[in-house]
């Protein structure tokens, strides 16, 4: 079984290696892919964005383990879910809620069957002692129902603010990628609707930077790929993840525009 | 065979990729796990801590290659050892000594049989040219005795200072993890002994920061898991690796307490 | 099939994970190795150096995907090539030119057959939508000729300046590795030639730092391995990649000499 790991353990952490050791110890021939371990510490919202972005690239029956778990050791539940024909394992803190809204789950279970856990079970590292063993047993053919009872409720994150008017869209920068591209929460289909259903046929994107000494508003032309702009030019486009993003061609938009997560992005006529 | 790599080559180094290329070239179907490549350059002591922390999570017959090797090209020996039912390959500079004290080896061999080495054998990269080929041949079924003669001696690191009195324990911060948690060299069992064999039933942990402008002493309450503290609270607990650690709940203890490796930690009444 | 990835996506990027998801989705049992994802953004020259450095360590028929692709979405071609008995996939921007000069290709093809691409094919992420699917189909046995027609031309990077006189060699620092070692473009064989064919039997290496307030010239003795120098000593030697490099024994040459990529290195009598 293909098993992925998404955590906030930090780059190159030996905590990740311990989870992999447990997977190899308990599962028959696991294949393991790291999604990322650079989620900002305890940033459930960022992890929710990333798992939602990557899941469509993975094959059927992949098992994704997400360990961004500020509530470890508390009464928060641990979930096993089936969504997008794949398995999800992680704490019930909203980390799967973006994905589950887009791909409603076939089922969600609460992992309560302690017989599948690693012993002794630490109170501070459930990724290694509960989640990895569960993925391993699942890979070995244990039926999902064995791990705990079905549940109809799970934590849902408040969505990022997204306003759609007749001739205007307003969203936020929700992620800055490694190139400095500013990824918004404005989906491609909203953007298309604005163009087809409004009077606006050539919209403009405006970035409103909230940080820094003075608020800045920067207008950015819309292109369909980076290469349509000149090197160094600011452009807005639908990125590979299906959201509107602002980039600097062969440059770093976040740095050159002093922009960051939380800045507003407006599409208007 | 499952083969792990622990090095100081730095994040994402192509030196690591070269070792993996050699492993895939020479071994039948190796499975490779990165422990970490972020060991501070030439920091044998940190590598000794990490390999000791992770080994118990891995299955029988895993082969761990550790390349933290300031003496590469000198007369320092290269060892192949069997400990904890797993194989260890690395320079004889003490990097395995913490682990070998906890899990005394079945045997230790000095790798002298040059016929297993990659040719030409560089004088600066024995990880690629000697250690990876050895792991590959071992994975292919070459008997351990083929690689060199048995030895009864190996380098041992001076242990970190750890004082245990009747009613007091004193150790050091030996690692700061990616969350900023301060991990000490005080093992869980010493801590339990203090509680059961002394008059002290509710001990207190004190961190003594040596760095910064003024020495600071910070008293920290003991909990059993992070979630027992309030967000932002300083707590002391037995971490997932079996040692006393100091954390800030959902925060970064190293930053907020200006603490670092080498600071003293005292448990007292 | 063994498939490697070399990109400028940044450490721990979920863009890399998406490529891996596609590989696992489309290929039968791929084995994936990360070369590095820390190539400086859009730095084709650095990627060309790294892929050339690592390829000799990998087995026959490995497929290397390089995604350092400032021209993504433009008319730049995507190549599939066979060199050093391995496969290469990447943009036609010179990223393979160092390697192809050393190992002239058996053939080079332009990847034009869109039926092998992921649909919808984004205009900003050809690594995921074109290159990874091509590697997967290649791994599944699709013949190279199916992906597009043969071509006899490809982009070649201007080589780094390298002057060889009768009694003098002059090159550049082209890479600083994770230890701070300064790797030059002076190959071992040029260095040997200087010693055997000139009057110079004990050459000296001089580093000329161009940056900083004042230009500095630092003379460095030549050794055959780090361990020949004292701890902290500056030494020059042929590194594990086959090029002359300058190091500080158990230290960081780039930091202690304030050196960087582009500084000149001279070997003379």
């Amino acid at each position: 079984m293909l098993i992925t790991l998404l955590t906030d353990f930090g780059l190159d952490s030996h905590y990740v290696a311990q989870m992999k050791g447990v997977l190899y110890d308990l599962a028959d021939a696991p294949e393991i892919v790291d999604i990322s371990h650079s989620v900002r510490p305890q940033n459930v919202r960022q992890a929710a964005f990333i798992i939602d972005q990557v899941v469509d690239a993975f094959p059927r029956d992949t098992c994704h383990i997400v360990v961004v778990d500020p509530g470890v050791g508390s009464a928060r539940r641990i979930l096993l879910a089936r969504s997008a024909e794949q398995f999800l394992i992680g704490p019930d803190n909203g980390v799967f809620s973006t994905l589950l809204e887009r791909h409603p789950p076939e089922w969600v279970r609460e992992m309560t069957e302690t017989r599948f856990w690693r012993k002794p079970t630490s109170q501070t590292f459930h990724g290694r002692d509960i989640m990895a063993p569960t993925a391993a047993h699942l890979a070995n053919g244990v039926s999902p129902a064995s791990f705990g009872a079905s549940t109809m409720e799970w934590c849902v994150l408040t969505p990022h603010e997204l306003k759609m008017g007749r001739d205007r869209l307003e969203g936020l920068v929700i992620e800055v990628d490694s190139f400095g591209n500013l990824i918004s929460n404005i989906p491609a289909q909203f953007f298309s609707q604005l163009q087809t259903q409004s009077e606006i046929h050539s919209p403009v994107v405006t970035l409103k930077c909230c940080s820094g000494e003075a608020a800045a508003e920067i207008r950015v032309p819309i292109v369909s790929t980076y290469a349509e702009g000149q090197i160094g030019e600011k452009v807005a486009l639908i990125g590979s993840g299906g959201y509107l993003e602002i980039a600097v061609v062969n440059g770093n938009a976040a740095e050159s525009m002093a922009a960051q997560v939380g800045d507003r992005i407006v599409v208007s006529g």
Side-chain angles (χ1 to χ4, degrees), chain A:
Chain A
M1 181 182 270
L2 184 59
I3 298 169
T4 81
L5 302 176
L6 172 61
T7 79
D8 60 355
F9 294 172
L11 287 163
D12 238 8
S13 165
H14 69 270
Y15 296 142
V16 174
Q18 290 182 47
M19 288 185 64
K20 292 180 182 174
V22 170
L23 288 169
Y24 275 105
D25 191 22
L26 300 180
D28 300 334
E31 295 172 302
I32 304 175
V33 167
D34 298 294
I35 303 294
S36 175
H37 303 291
S38 298
V39 172
R40 291 182 289 279
Q42 286 101 25
N43 196 317
V44 173
R45 202 173 265 282
Q46 187 187 21
F49 170 77
I50 292 174
I51 193 67
D52 182 50
Q53 283 278 296
V54 301
V55 87
D56 292 343
F58 280 86
R60 195 166 188 277
D61 290 335
T62 299
C63 178
H64 302 279
I65 306 178
V66 181
V67 196
V68 179
D69 193 9
V72 63
S74 73
R76 70 89 185 81
R77 305 183 305 169
I78 304 179
L79 301 181
L80 168 63
R82 175 96 181 161
S83 162
E85 300 198 298
Q86 299 177 48
F87 298 102
L88 308 173
I89 293 175
D92 182 22
N93 58 15
V95 77
F96 295 123
S97 64
T98 309
L99 174 59
L100 293 181
E101 195 188 323
R102 196 165 59 85
H103 288 297
E106 288 178 42
W107 44 257
V108 178
R109 297 186 170 277
E110 183 182 347
M111 284 161 47
T112 50
E113 287 297 322
T114 57
R115 69 197 148 111
F116 296 106
W117 303 3
R118 191 165 180 261
K119 306 287 162 18
T121 310
S122 77
Q123 293 193 280
T124 57
F125 195 177
H126 288 177
R128 180 191 65 191
D129 296 341
I130 301 179
M131 300 181 213
T134 299
H137 290 299
L138 193 67
N140 293 347
V142 172
S143 81
S146 309
F147 297 100
S150 186
T151 177
M152 298 304 289
E153 293 188 325
W154 49 88
C155 287
V156 174
L157 298 177
T158 318
H160 291 285
E161 201 174 10
L162 178 62
K163 297 180 197 161
M164 184 163 187
R166 246 194 72 77
D167 51 6
R168 183 185 157 94
L169 275 170
E170 182 171 338
L172 295 170
V173 175
I174 59 168
E175 185 70 12
V176 176
D177 77 8
S178 51
F179 294 97
N181 298 333
L182 310 172
I183 301 169
S184 81
N185 63 335
I186 300 175
Q189 64 269 33
F190 279 40
F191 187 71
S192 307
Q193 279 174 33
L194 186 78
Q195 287 184 287
T196 54
Q197 297 174 9
S198 75
E199 301 300 305
I200 302 172
H201 298 295
S202 46
V204 171
V205 171
T206 307
L207 174 73
K208 302 188 174 193
C209 295
C210 315
S211 56
E213 297 188 0
E217 289 203 10
I218 303 169
R219 288 169 68 95
V220 182
I222 295 168
V223 296
S224 63
T225 184
Y226 306 123
E228 279 181 30
Q230 300 299 309
I231 290 179
E233 192 183 353
K234 298 170 182 73
V235 295
L237 73 170
I238 299 300
S240 64
Y243 290 94
L244 184 71
E245 68 181 50
I246 293 178
V248 166
V249 179
N250 292 7
N252 187 306
E255 280 180 17
S256 67
M257 301 167 86
Q260 58 185 26
V261 169
D263 287 348
R264 277 182 298 156
I265 291 188
V266 176
V267 188
S268 59

